[in-house]
Amino acid sequence: MSSQGRGRGRGRWRGRGRRTPQISPPAPPLGDVIVTIHHNEIETPANQDDTKSRITNSRYLTSYNWLGWEQRKITIPGEPPKWTPLSRSNPPKLPQDKGGYYRDRNSAQYPTYPLEPMVQAILTDKPEFPVTSVDIIACNNTMVNLLRFALGQDKPFRMLVEVLGNTVFFIRRENSPTEMIPDVRGYGHTFPEAYTTWGASVGGSESHQRVLEYEFAGMQCLVRFEADGFLPNLVPDTEEPKEDPICPKDDFDPEETLSSLEEVTIVCGPSTTAETASKQLEIAREGRRISQCAIFDLKTRSRNKRNLNTLEEELPRLWVSQTPNFILAHHMSGQFKDIQVQDVRDDVKRWEEAQQPALGKFASLLQIIVSLARSADNGKLEIEREEGEQVLNLRTPGGVVNGVLSSAVASKWDV
C-alpha cells in the first residue's frame, strides 16, 4: 500500500514499534530519598490567585512528525493524520492488534535525549520564541502522572527532573527506552490505521507530536503530546495559518468529512537554521500547521463497555493536552458501527471547574517540585511513586542518566 493511501502502515500509531517481542528489562536502581511529599500534606495557599489552578493563555506553538525508525528524522511542522472514516452501515471487520508496541515512542525514537526533538522543533520553527524563559518543559505523560497523584488516583511512575538555567524539565523514565507494552489486545492500533490517513506531504510518518504553550500554577509551561489525528471539517481553509485560529463552535459537524480537501505542502531540504542540531537528528520542513481546534484524541472499546463513561476517565489527559475533540469507537468482534465524534471543550471546562480543589493541590505540587529542583546542588532529581502509595519520593537519580539535552542544545541556556 502506498504511504499516501488510507492505511497508516506498520508502526505508525502511539507506542507502536518493531513486532519482535521483548522481555521486560529490569528497572533502573533507585537513588537516595531526599524529600518525601505526602498527598494529604499538599495544601493550596489561601491567597493563591484563582487563575493559578486553571490553564490559561493556551496556544499551539509548533509540531513535528517522526519518520522511519532508522532515520532519526523529524519533519516540521508535520501534519497529523486526517479522519477518514469507513462506511458505518457495513464496516469491515478489523484484525486485532498484534506485535510489539513501545511504551514511550519518543524515547524509542531518540533514546539519548527524548525531549530534544521537541526543543529543536521550537528552535527551528519559532527561532524568536524565548525558550530559555519557560518554567516547565514536559510531556503529557509526566504531567498527567503528577496530576493523577494530586487527584488521589493510584498509578506508579518514575520521572527524571533536570534544571537548565531557570527551566525545569520533566523526563519520562521507563525501565528502558525501548520497553514494550506487554500483552497488547484490542483494536487501538488497527482501528486508526483503517480510519485515518496521512497526508501526501508526510507519507511514511510514525507519529505527530505537538507542543502547547500555556500558563498554569503561575508558571509558563510547554507540554508535548501525541495527536491521534484531525477533523478536516474543522480546518478553516487550505492555507497554512500563521497563528492558531479559534474554530467557532457553530461550525462543528462531527459527521462531515471533506474528502476533497487539498493538501498544502511546504517542502525544503534539511534545516540549516538550527546550528545546534544534534548530529543524529535530521530535520526537514514538510507538512502544514493544523489548528489545535481540529485535533482529536481516540479510544476504542468493546460494545459490551458502551455503558461505561470512558470520556470521564480520559478528561484529565484531555485537559493537560487541551484536546478539544474526542472519538470513541465501540466494536463488536472488530466491526465498528458505533462511533461517536464529540466536541468536548465544554466537558473539559466543566471538569476543570469541578476539580478545583485537586487542581489547586496539583498547582502547589508543581511549585514545590520546581522550587526543590532549582535549589538542588546539580539541578537533578528523580521522582518515584510506588504502586498503592500516596507519597512521592524525590530522590537522587539512580543508575546511568544522560543530561536532558545534548551539550550543543543545552548551551542555549548558558548565561
Side-chain angles (χ1 to χ4, degrees):
M1 179 180 294
S2 166
S3 62
Q4 299 175 20
R6 172 174 288 277
R8 294 178 58 128
R10 290 184 66 220
R12 295 176 190 166
W13 196 249
R14 176 184 299 140
R16 189 158 193 177
R18 302 181 186 278
R19 292 179 179 268
T20 303
Q22 291 186 357
I23 298 173
S24 181
L30 291 168
D32 296 332
V33 175
I34 302 171
V35 176
T36 297
I37 301 175
H38 294 263
H39 177 270
N40 59 6
E41 293 178 353
I42 303 173
E43 297 181 356
T44 302
N47 61 347
Q48 178 163 289
D49 186 338
D50 190 48
T51 62
K52 290 188 178 179
S53 54
R54 292 173 172 80
I55 289 176
T56 58
N57 299 322
S58 173
R59 74 179 181 111
Y60 156 52
L61 183 61
T62 190
S63 54
Y64 59 96
N65 281 28
W66 274 113
L67 297 184
W69 291 99
E70 302 301 329
Q71 297 183 60
R72 299 286 190 262
K73 180 179 180 180
I74 62 173
T75 61
I76 303 170
E79 183 180 324
K82 180 168 60 176
W83 176 242
T84 49
L86 303 177
S87 167
R88 184 168 297 188
S89 60
N90 187 30
K93 185 175 180 179
L94 302 181
Q96 288 199 42
D97 295 340
K98 63 180 179 179
Y101 302 88
Y102 291 129
R103 283 193 182 278
D104 182 358
R105 176 189 298 281
N106 284 276
S107 289
Q109 292 262 191
Y110 207 64
T112 308
Y113 307 111
L115 288 181
E116 182 155 314
M118 167 187 178
V119 175
Q120 289 283 27
I122 298 168
L123 296 176
T124 302
D125 193 32
K126 302 283 186 182
E128 76 289 350
F129 183 81
V131 67
T132 59
S133 67
V134 172
D135 293 291
I136 292 175
I137 292 181
C139 67
N140 66 328
N141 177 271
T142 52
M143 294 289 275
V144 169
N145 278 331
L146 293 172
L147 173 59
R148 284 183 176 136
F149 176 76
L151 292 169
Q153 298 174 359
D154 183 17
K155 188 175 190 295
F157 62 85
R158 292 174 67 174
M159 70 180 71
L160 298 168
V161 180
E162 182 171 339
V163 181
L164 292 180
N166 204 44
T167 304
V168 181
F169 292 79
F170 294 161
I171 309 107
R172 180 175 177 175
R173 193 177 203 191
E174 303 293 348
N175 293 345
S176 163
T178 54
E179 183 178 359
M180 298 282 192
I181 303 172
D183 303 322
V184 174
R185 302 175 185 274
Y187 302 85
H189 301 82
T190 57
F191 177 83
E193 287 175 357
Y195 281 73
T196 64
T197 305
W198 292 111
S201 66
V202 291
S205 292
E206 298 284 350
S207 72
H208 177 72
Q209 307 288 326
R210 296 174 73 82
V211 181
L212 285 186
E213 173 195 7
Y214 53 68
E215 294 176 18
F216 181 75
M219 295 181 287
Q220 185 183 21
C221 306
L222 298 184
V223 179
R224 183 200 68 208
F225 73 100
E226 182 170 328
D228 289 347
F230 77 96
L231 300 173
N233 55 296
L234 294 183
V235 176
D237 52 44
T238 58
E239 295 298 324
E240 179 173 327
K242 294 181 180 179
E243 297 297 334
D244 185 25
I246 303 218
C247 298
K249 281 193 161 188
D250 292 341
D251 291 344
F252 183 80
D253 182 356
E255 302 300 324
E256 182 183 1
T257 58
L258 303 184
S259 59
S260 62
L261 187 68
E262 296 180 1
E263 307 292 346
V264 174
T265 306
I266 303 169
V267 181
C268 69
S271 169
T272 57
T273 61
E275 61 183 7
T276 58
S278 166
K279 293 179 180 178
Q280 295 180 323
L281 185 67
E282 183 181 351
I283 302 173
R285 284 192 176 274
E286 294 175 357
R288 58 172 176 162
R289 293 174 64 87
I290 297 294
S291 301
Q292 183 70 10
C293 62
I295 298 301
F296 66 76
D297 189 86
L298 169 65
K299 285 289 175 285
T300 62
R301 295 290 185 267
S302 167
R303 189 170 179 268
N304 297 331
K305 297 182 179 180
R306 64 188 182 280
N307 293 327
L308 298 180
N309 194 340
T310 302
L311 173 59
E312 186 69 23
E313 298 173 359
E314 301 300 327
L315 284 173
R317 285 193 317 103
L318 299 176
W319 177 77
V320 168
S321 64
Q322 295 288 280
T323 299
N325 305 295
F326 184 64
I327 297 178
L328 178 60
H330 289 100
H331 71 90
M332 180 176 288
S333 300
Q335 195 172 40
F336 289 85
K337 291 186 177 181
D338 182 5
I339 301 175
Q340 304 169 41
V341 183
Q342 307 171 67
D343 178 345
V344 294
R345 285 176 290 181
D346 286 344
D347 300 89
V348 171
K349 190 63 179 175
R350 279 192 296 267
W351 181 89
E352 184 182 57
E353 293 304 315
Q355 296 294 333
Q356 277 304 290
L359 292 178
K361 195 174 280 246
F362 178 46
S364 294
L365 176 63
L366 287 179
Q367 291 166 345
I368 291 169
I369 294 171
V370 166
S371 178
L372 289 171
R374 286 172 174 167
S375 63
D377 289 340
N378 61 357
K380 295 183 179 182
L381 300 171
E382 180 169 1
I383 302 175
E384 172 249 355
R385 183 189 183 184
E386 296 181 23
E387 188 167 3
E389 297 294 328
Q390 289 297 312
V391 299
L392 292 183
N393 293 314
L394 273 62
R395 300 173 175 268
T396 57
V400 178
V401 177
N402 294 316
V404 64
L405 300 174
S406 65
S407 57
V409 179
S411 66
K412 287 282 186 180
W413 276 262
D414 290 345
V415 293

